[in-house]
Amino acid sequence: MTDEPIPLLDLTLQYRALARTLLPQVEALLASGRYIGGEAVRQFEELFSQFLGGGDLETVSCNSGTDALVLALRALGIQPGDEVITTAFSFFASAEAIDLVGARPVFVDVDPCTFNLDPQLLERSISPRTKAIISVHLFGQAANMTQILAIAQRHGLAVVEDCAQAIGACWGGKPVGTWGDIGCFSFFPTKNLGAAGDGGAVVTRDPQLARKVRILKDHGQVGQYHHEYIGLNSRLDALQAVILSVKLPYLREWNWRRQAIAEGYHRLLQGIPGLILPQVAKGGNSVWHQYTVRVPGSHPTDSRRRDRLQRQLQKRGIASRVYYPTPLHLQPVYRKLGYKPGDLPNAELCAAQVLSLPCFPELTLQQQERVALAIAEILAEEP
Ligand SMILES: Cc1ncc(COP(=O)(O)O)c(C=O)c1O
């Protein structure tokens, strides 16, 4: 058994495998002198729409997943005075985008088995000011879009899907991002489809929304130097579009690898006392952006056992990460909203108990066995 460190993720392996295909394309783009917009960006948008099923789906690329969410909310007309419901357990951008358009986030608790928003709790958070729901597909797992859409339709609410972590995941056999009014994607380097820098995209079947996003991402320009809105400068660089177009054909295979890795962890970690494995809800699947276990302590928000496990893994050269140590409703910036500890207990429990293990397509079975053995030994040696 080797004692080589095991990283949470190693992007250099993917680069090395693709370098021979990637570099001539990057060089051709650099030689073209066309660095903003143009054919490379158009082509990626087309390929991305096809990846998600094609048809009347339109992709509008932009600078990041955060911008994708902001552009989606702006295109839907969300404004100050409006409320937007989202999960209390996600990366900050899922809520930040709501504030960036001047609206107020309203947080809903999660199902601690899947880490996704619990649709049973959604309806009671709807007020006369609610205009939209941002449904996040966390850690790669599709949220229950059937229930979320049914509630949204009953109350006339728009649905934005935050698919930053779940490119290629499906609910009911249909890709996430194609269920709601708009799907938002991130191509941050560590995502399942990652650029060599920032990138993002919005997808929609509504041509009016697509047109509005295109205008908003380009300074609100309707014709050249004719501005009808205050917009953003939010472009996907042509260089990133080239890189993403080279990588996209591999994404399904990478996602299958992640699914095989998750199955491997399930098998290797099953039955270890005091460890809770992630579950996938019936009706959907996961592309395992993260493989996240829970390590409960002596009470629901006691993080000491989890933190000890992480420290001990680190001592053995095994990386792990806490995504996310503080739920959104308890972030310092949201004190203004008046939430208190205990308000959204499952999100708080997740924040105290979660630990994401190394998970990336190139991770080997031997490395997984080392991770699993280390976890079993560390938990067996607990004081
Ligand atoms: C769930 C979620 N939403 C939104 C974002 C924002 O994406 P970006 O970093 O591309 O702005 C991220 C990732 O970073 C994310 O994980």
Side-chain angles (χ1 to χ4, degrees):
M1 194 187 290
T2 162
D3 283 319
E4 280 280 295
I6 303 178
L8 200 62
L9 138 113
D10 184 351
L11 292 175
T12 67
L13 297 172
Q14 188 190 70
Y15 171 69
R16 268 188 264 149
L18 289 183
R20 274 214 283 175
T21 326
L22 203 52
L23 290 176
Q25 305 269 356
V26 166
E27 201 178 354
L29 188 277
L30 292 177
S32 77
R34 188 80 206 254
Y35 305 140
I36 298 287
E39 186 54 21
V41 174
R42 201 202 55 72
Q43 196 182 14
F44 174 67
E45 289 181 345
E46 180 58 37
L47 287 173
F48 196 65
S49 298
Q50 277 165 20
F51 175 80
L52 292 175
D56 50 1
L57 198 70
E58 182 168 347
T59 298
V60 184
S61 59
C62 64
N63 185 250
S64 68
T66 307
D67 278 4
L69 289 166
V70 170
L71 288 162
L73 294 173
R74 286 281 310 275
L76 288 165
I78 308 299
Q79 55 188 1
D82 293 341
E83 289 178 359
V84 177
I85 296 177
T86 194
T87 165
F89 191 62
S90 181
F91 179 64
F92 185 61
S94 308
E96 187 180 34
I98 300 169
D99 279 81
L100 284 170
V101 303
R104 181 186 171 96
V106 173
F107 297 111
V108 168
D109 212 356
V110 295
D111 174 345
C113 299
T114 64
F115 306 112
N116 278 330
L117 179 150
D118 183 347
Q120 309 298 333
L121 305 174
L122 201 50
E123 213 143 15
R124 69 179 77 151
S125 302
I126 295 172
S127 85
R129 285 182 298 277
T130 310
K131 292 285 157 34
I133 299 167
I134 298 183
S135 138
V136 183
H137 306 287
L138 200 72
F139 300 153
Q141 178 168 179
N144 186 331
M145 293 312 298
T146 318
Q147 287 185 22
I148 293 170
L149 279 185
I151 295 167
Q153 272 158 14
R154 212 156 45 234
H155 295 269
L157 306 177
V159 174
V160 174
E161 290 178 76
D162 181 343
C163 312
Q165 302 188 3
I167 305 180
C170 289
W171 176 261
K174 192 169 130 180
V176 299
T178 66
W179 282 85
D181 296 278
I182 301 195
C184 298
F185 292 84
S186 163
F187 306 123
F188 184 81
T190 60
K191 296 294 191 272
N192 289 26
L193 176 67
D198 278 307
V202 155
V203 305
T204 181
R205 287 188 203 286
D206 180 336
Q208 311 273 41
L209 283 177
R211 181 172 175 273
K212 187 83 186 278
V213 172
R214 278 198 198 282
I215 292 169
L216 289 172
K217 70 168 234 184
D218 186 22
H219 303 284
Q221 256 182 127
V222 171
Q224 204 176 26
Y225 305 126
H226 182 81
H227 303 266
E228 288 196 6
Y229 307 93
I230 297 298
L232 281 79
N233 169 4
S234 185
R235 297 183 277 245
L236 178 70
D237 290 344
L239 191 62
Q240 301 304 347
V242 163
I243 292 169
L244 290 166
S245 294
V246 170
K247 287 186 173 189
L248 186 57
Y250 298 92
L251 179 57
R252 279 195 210 288
E253 196 182 309
W254 291 334
N255 282 345
W256 288 331
R257 272 292 307 149
R258 286 175 182 271
Q259 285 163 344
I261 287 163
E263 276 169 32
Y265 274 137
H266 275 25
R267 184 169 46 77
L268 294 164
L269 296 172
Q270 224 174 73
I272 297 181
L275 188 73
I276 301 174
L277 305 185
Q279 289 177 24
V280 178
K282 220 167 144 242
N285 75 355
S286 176
V287 291
W288 299 100
H289 178 59
Q290 301 294 340
Y291 186 88
T292 304
V293 295
R294 272 168 47 213
V295 192
S298 58
H299 57 85
T301 55
D302 174 10
S303 61
R304 286 171 301 178
R305 271 189 80 230
R306 186 268 313 275
D307 295 342
R308 176 179 174 276
L309 174 61
Q310 186 178 31
R311 279 194 307 274
Q312 296 292 326
L313 285 170
Q314 190 59 47
K315 278 192 190 155
R316 297 173 188 226
I318 298 169
S320 62
R321 227 16 212 272
V322 175
Y323 299 114
Y324 298 94
T326 308
L328 294 174
H329 66 292
L330 299 181
Q331 288 292 343
V333 70
Y334 285 133
R335 263 184 223 127
K336 62 181 181 184
L337 298 178
Y339 289 98
K340 302 177 304 304
D343 282 349
L344 300 171
N346 287 339
E348 294 165 35
L349 170 153
C350 289
Q353 299 183 352
V354 288
L355 193 65
S356 295
L357 305 179
C359 185
F360 52 96
E362 298 81 5
L363 190 75
T364 66
L365 182 59
Q366 288 72 17
Q367 286 175 313
Q368 280 199 277
E369 284 169 350
R370 247 184 79 203
V371 174
L373 187 63
I375 292 174
E377 283 176 3
I378 294 164
L379 293 183
E381 284 164 5
E382 276 178 333

